[in-house]
Amino acid sequence: MIGLAVRTLRHRKGAFAGAFVALLCAAALVCACLMLLETGLRGAVAPERYAGTPLVVAADQYVRQSVDKGKGKTKTKAKPLTERAWLPASAAAELRRAPGVSKVITEVTFPFGGFIGHGWESAGLTPFTIAEGREPRAAGEVVVDARAGLAVGGTLRGRRVVGVTAQALPSQDTVFLSTAEARRLAGRPDLVSAVGVFASGDVPLPSGAVAYTGDERGRLEFLDAEQARVSLISMGGALAGTSLLVAILVVVGTFALSVQQRHRELALLRAVAATPKQVRRLVSGEALLVGVAAGALGAGAGLGVGVWLHATFVALGTTPANLRLVVSPFPPLVAFLATLGSALVAARVSARRIARIRPVEALGEAALDRGRLPWWRAVAGIACVAGGVVLALVLSGLRTEAAATPVTMLTALVWTVAVTLLGPLLARAAARVLPLRAAGVSGFLAARNLRATPAGLASVLSPLTLLVAMTCTILFAPATVGQAALEQAGEGLRAGHVVVGADAATVADVPGVEAVTPVLRTTVRVGLDKFSAQALAYDPRTVDLGVTEGSMDRFAADGVAVSTAAAARLEIGVGDPLRLTLGDGTPARLTVAALYARGLGFGELTLPYELVPGHVDDASGALLVSAPTLDADALAAALPDGAELSGASGPSVGGGANQQATLVALGLIIAFTAIAVVNTVAMATSGRVRELAALRLAGTTKRQVLRMLRLETLGAALVAAALGTGIALVTLAAFGAGMTGSAVPYVPVGTYALVIAAATGLALLATSVPARLALRVRPAAAVASR
C-alpha cells in the first residue's frame, strides 16, 4: 500500500498540498512553543558582575514551604522572590573568620536612575579597575563604567564624576559610590546584598545563607532572569498544549476535506474488491508520507520561529538577553512525532466512513452527499458541548490570570470542536435560513449547492469558526480585565496628579496641595501564592478603595486591607490574621482591617506604607497628590528639580510587557488558524473544478460562477461569524465573571469588526484565486479529465 500511496501523491499533489501546509505549520508552532518551555526549564544565565568571584554567598532567594504528602512524607516546594533578599552584614565578618578564606568582599546593589549602583568596596568582584581618575571617597562623588560616555569632571544625577573604569558589563550600566553613600542610598545600613568569598576549600555558611557557584551566580545576579524562567515554563507549556490542540483540529479538518474530495476514487477501490483494511492502510500510508515530509520541514522551521520568539521577548523586556535560548533535539523531535501522530489519527478518522460501506454502495455513496451524521460523531459532539459547559462553569470561578488563561483557551477550543463535530447538522440548518436566493441566478445556485452538499459547507465552517472564536477570545479577554481595572481606578482615585522623583514632605509644603499619599507597588506571597500589592499611607482625599466590610480607620502598622476576590481565595475576613512574605522574603503577620471591591484597580492587597520601603529593590515609588486649586502647570512649576508630574492613574494592571509577550505568542496561533482558513477554503474551491465546468457547459457565465462562489463563501463566513462570536461570548462571559465579577465582556466594536472583516476577506481571497484558475480550463476538458 505504501507504493500505491506514493503513486497517488505523485499524481494528486494538489489534493495533499493543503494537508502538507497544515502539518508543516503545526510542527513549526509546536516546536517553537516547546523551545520556550525547555528554555524555562533548563536555561542558564552566565554571571557578569560576579564572573570573577568563585563563590558568592547571599540570602535564599526563594520562598519555601513543606507540604505533607501523607504517610509521614513531606515535600518542599519553592517559589522565587520578586525582590532581592539581603543578608545581615555580620555574615561577612563570620565568613572572614572561616578557615581557608583569603578574601571577603561585601556588596550592596540598588537602582540609580538608569544605572545600577554599588559601593566601591565591591569593585573587586568582577573585578573593575580605574582607567582614569580615582575611586569615590565622599558623598557627592561617583565612578562610571567605560560605556557611560562621561569623563572625569562631568556630572551624573547631581554628583561629580571622579573616575571611569576600564571595564563595562554587557547588559548593565554600572556606577560606583563610596561605601557609606551606597549603603545610605540602598536604605539598609546593616544589610548586604551579597558577599564574594575567595577560599581554598569548603566554607561553612552563616545561618540563612546560601552558596552560589557556576551559573548559579548568574541567577543570583539577575533575579529577573529567574522570574522570566518561571514565566517561560508556564507560557511555553500552555501555548504548546493550545497549539497542539489547534493543530489537531485543523489537521483533522484538512484531511477530512481531502478524503471527501476523493470519495469517488476511494469508492471505486471498494467497488473493485479493496477491503476496508486496505483502504485505511492506503489513506494512512498517504498520511504517513505527508506527515514525515511536513513534520521534518516544519520542525526545522520551528527552530527559526523559536529563535525569533526569544528575540522578540528580549526586545519586549520580558526575557533578559542573557537568559540564553536552549536549542536541543527535544522540541523538534516531539513536534515531528506529534505532527506525524496527528496526521495518522486524522487520516484514520477521515477514512472511517468510506472504508466501512459495502462495495456495491460505494459509488452511490460517493456521488450523493446526504449530510448524515454518524452516531459516534453526534455523541462526541454532544459530549464536547457538555465539556464546554463544565469548563465555562469552572472558568467562572477562577480569579487569577495564571489559572484562567489556559482554561479560557481550552474552553474556546472545546466549543469549537463541538461545532466541528456537529458541523453537518449546523450546515444543513444554516443552508435553509441563509437568504441567498434573493441574489438572482448566482444566489439560487449558491443556495442549492449549500443544501446539496452540507459536508462541504461544514468543512469550511470549522476553520472560520475557529479563527473568529480564538481571535476574539485572545484579544478581548485581556481587554476585559484591563477595562475593568481602568474603571475601578478611575472610580477610586481622588487625587488629580501623580508625582515621581520628589519627597512627600516637600510636595506637601507646596501651597495649594491638600493631601499627598506615597505609593509603592510590590508583590507578596501568602504561602506560595503570589498577590499584587500596594503600600500606601491611606488618605480618603486621594484614594477610595471601595471598602465593603471593615474600616480603613483600623488600617495601621499591623493592618492590611484585602480585595474581596483575594479574600475569597484566602478564605479570610475582617479581624482574621494574615501571614505573608514580603517581596524580599521577610515574613509579616498582619490583621485584616478591611475588605475592598476595587482589587483590579489598586492591587489585591493594600499594606501600610511604612512596612514596605525597606523590602523592595526600588523604594522611589510615586506620590498621589490632591490639589483642587492648582492646575497641572502651576503644580509642575512649584515642584523641585528632577520631579515629574503626570495625570493620576491607577496601577498598571494590563500585564505590560508580559501581556505583550503572551499576545505575540498567541498571535502565532491566530496566524496558524488564518493559514488554515485560506488552506481549507482554497482546497474546497479547487476540488470543485468538474462541478464548475459542468455549470459552464450548462450555460452559466464565468461572472455568475464567481458570484455564486462568493455568495457561498459569504454565507459560510456569516454563519462562522455567528458561531465564533457565540463561542467567544460564552467563554469571555465566564472569564469575566471570575476575573472581574461581571459576566459582560469588554468588546471594542471597531476591533471586533476588523476581526470579522479579516476572516471574511481571507475566505473570499481563498475562494476567488483558485476559482479564477479553475475557470481558465476549458469546460469540456475539465469534465473529461475528471
Side-chain angles (χ1 to χ4, degrees):
M1 281 296 173
I2 292 295
L4 181 59
V6 172
R7 288 192 291 272
T8 302
L9 290 176
R10 184 181 304 164
H11 295 288
R12 301 206 47 161
K13 300 181 182 67
F16 294 97
F20 177 84
V21 171
L23 288 168
L24 187 147
C25 293
L29 192 57
V30 173
C31 178
C33 293
L34 288 177
M35 288 177 70
L36 297 182
L37 174 62
E38 188 176 21
T39 298
L41 291 171
R42 300 176 51 219
V45 180
E48 294 179 1
R49 177 157 169 71
Y50 298 150
T53 309
L55 172 65
V56 180
V57 176
D60 190 0
Q61 303 298 320
Y62 287 84
V63 177
R64 303 182 189 273
Q65 181 176 334
S66 296
V67 180
D68 186 4
K69 300 186 67 177
K71 298 182 180 179
K73 297 181 179 179
T74 60
K75 179 181 180 180
T76 299
K77 294 185 177 180
K79 295 290 185 179
L81 296 171
T82 54
E83 311 282 352
R84 186 176 299 277
W86 290 47
L87 273 178
S90 59
E94 187 175 339
L95 287 168
R96 286 190 182 95
R97 294 192 297 267
V101 173
S102 58
K103 183 167 60 173
V104 169
I105 300 176
T106 57
E107 150 90 321
V108 296
T109 181
F110 56 93
F112 188 78
F115 297 81
I116 299 178
H118 306 276
W120 179 252
E121 85 280 8
S122 64
L125 292 172
T126 307
F128 275 92
T129 56
I130 294 290
E132 181 185 355
R134 59 172 176 81
E135 70 274 9
R137 297 168 186 161
E141 298 177 345
V142 65
V143 169
V144 299
D145 64 20
R147 191 173 48 236
L150 297 172
V152 173
T155 59
L156 177 66
R157 294 178 59 85
R159 289 174 168 80
R160 186 167 63 92
V161 177
V162 296
V164 179
T165 68
Q167 298 81 17
L169 300 176
S171 62
Q172 49 189 308
D173 297 320
T174 308
V175 298
F176 292 97
L177 298 94
S178 67
T179 299
E181 178 69 357
R183 297 200 176 192
R184 185 186 70 81
L185 292 177
R188 306 181 187 189
D190 299 326
L191 301 174
V192 294
S193 54
V195 180
V197 180
F198 296 81
S200 58
D202 294 337
V203 178
L205 299 178
S207 176
V210 177
Y212 297 86
T213 59
D215 282 346
E216 292 177 348
R217 295 170 299 168
R219 293 187 181 184
L220 173 65
E221 183 177 351
F222 301 101
L223 295 182
D224 57 339
E226 189 64 16
Q227 296 167 23
R229 287 179 65 249
V230 175
S231 298
L232 286 178
I233 291 172
S234 59
M235 182 190 299
L239 290 177
T242 303
S243 301
L244 187 57
L245 290 174
V246 171
I248 291 173
L249 186 60
V250 168
V251 170
V252 168
T254 305
F255 261 98
L257 181 59
S258 176
V259 171
Q260 176 188 323
Q261 292 177 344
R262 297 170 56 220
H263 262 195
R264 182 178 296 274
E265 174 187 321
L266 297 176
L268 182 60
L269 290 176
R270 289 288 289 122
V272 296
T275 66
K277 183 177 180 180
Q278 288 174 322
V279 172
R280 286 194 296 268
R281 288 181 61 189
L282 171 63
V283 176
S284 297
E286 294 166 352
L288 178 65
L289 294 173
V290 175
V292 167
L297 291 175
L303 294 174
V305 176
V307 171
W308 175 81
L309 268 180
H310 181 264
T312 301
F313 289 174
V314 170
L316 289 173
T318 60
T319 300
N322 48 15
L323 177 56
R324 298 185 294 267
L325 179 69
V326 176
V327 181
S328 76
F330 172 74
L333 178 60
V334 172
F336 174 79
L337 294 176
T339 302
L340 189 58
S342 301
L344 292 174
V345 170
R348 298 284 287 193
V349 171
S350 303
R352 178 184 176 90
R353 185 180 181 189
I354 193 65
R356 295 184 65 182
I357 62 177
R358 290 179 295 177
V360 294
E361 299 174 346
L363 290 177
E365 181 75 15
L368 183 61
D369 177 14
R370 296 189 179 91
R372 292 175 179 173
L373 196 65
W375 68 267
W376 62 267
R377 188 165 175 174
V379 171
I382 294 172
C384 283
V385 170
V389 172
V390 171
L391 283 172
L393 292 175
V394 171
L395 182 59
S396 65
L398 299 177
R399 292 179 171 82
T400 63
E401 286 194 66
T405 299
V407 179
T408 302
M409 298 296 105
L410 183 60
T411 303
L413 275 174
V414 170
W415 280 108
T416 307
V417 172
V419 167
T420 301
L421 290 169
L422 301 176
L425 291 180
L426 297 172
R428 275 196 293 177
R432 293 181 182 278
V433 299
L434 285 173
L436 298 178
R437 289 176 177 270
V441 173
S442 297
F444 172 80
L445 292 174
R448 297 295 296 177
N449 274 334
L450 293 182
R451 287 193 179 189
T453 57
L457 174 58
S459 65
V460 175
L461 279 180
S462 177
L464 275 171
T465 301
L466 178 65
L467 177 60
V468 173
M470 290 297 292
T471 303
C472 289
T473 301
I474 288 170
L475 291 179
F476 301 144
T480 296
V481 176
Q483 181 64 21
L486 288 175
E487 290 175 357
Q488 290 184 12
E491 293 168 356
L493 276 173
R494 299 289 180 261
H497 310 280
V498 174
V499 176
V500 295
D503 179 73
T506 302
V507 176
D509 290 338
V510 174
V513 171
E514 180 183 83
V516 177
T517 298
V519 180
L520 277 176
R521 310 295 179 195
T522 185
T523 58
V524 300
R525 290 193 184 273
V526 179
L528 295 179
D529 295 331
K530 186 164 66 173
F531 292 83
S532 61
Q534 64 173 354
L536 55 78
Y538 185 74
D539 190 325
R541 293 174 295 179
T542 57
V543 177
D544 178 10
L545 298 178
V547 174
T548 59
E549 188 178 345
S551 173
M552 294 302 288
D553 294 338
R554 301 170 57 189
F555 184 70
D558 61 346
V560 59
V562 183
S563 70
T564 51
R569 283 175 59 193
L570 295 169
E571 298 181 349
I572 58 175
V574 173
D576 291 340
L578 179 62
R579 297 181 181 274
L580 54 83
T581 304
L582 299 177
D584 66 346
T586 302
R589 187 182 187 278
L590 305 173
T591 302
V592 178
L595 304 183
Y596 57 90
R598 296 178 179 138
L600 286 175
F602 294 95
E604 296 170 290
L605 275 68
T606 297
L607 307 174
Y609 183 80
E610 59 269 20
L611 178 65
V612 174
H615 305 284
V616 294
D617 294 339
D618 185 357
S620 56
L623 302 175
L624 302 180
V625 180
S626 175
T629 61
L630 296 178
D631 60 20
D633 292 337
L635 180 59
L639 292 175
D641 293 340
E644 297 180 5
L645 177 68
S646 65
S649 63
S652 177
V653 186
N658 285 327
Q659 187 185 92
Q660 294 177 36
T662 302
L663 288 176
V664 167
L666 289 173
L668 290 178
I669 298 178
I670 295 176
F672 174 44
T673 310
I675 292 172
V677 168
V678 174
N679 196 22
T680 304
V681 176
M683 284 180 63
T685 305
S686 299
R688 299 173 63 184
V689 173
R690 186 172 182 272
E691 173 194 336
L692 301 182
L695 287 173
R696 294 282 288 114
L697 288 175
T700 309
T701 65
K702 288 185 178 181
R703 183 176 180 181
Q704 288 174 326
V705 171
L706 286 173
R707 192 177 182 213
M708 174 197 76
L709 293 173
R710 293 193 191 104
L711 287 172
E712 290 179 13
T713 301
L714 283 174
L718 179 62
V719 176
L723 292 171
T725 301
I727 291 171
L729 285 176
V730 169
T731 304
L732 291 170
F735 175 82
M739 290 296 301
T740 70
S742 171
V744 180
Y746 176 69
V747 180
V749 176
T751 306
Y752 172 74
L754 285 176
V755 171
I756 301 302
T760 304
L762 286 173
L764 287 173
L765 179 65
T767 298
S768 298
V769 173
R772 290 183 180 277
L773 294 175
L775 290 174
R776 290 182 180 179
V777 181
R778 290 183 301 171
V783 172
S785 65
R786 298 282 169 150

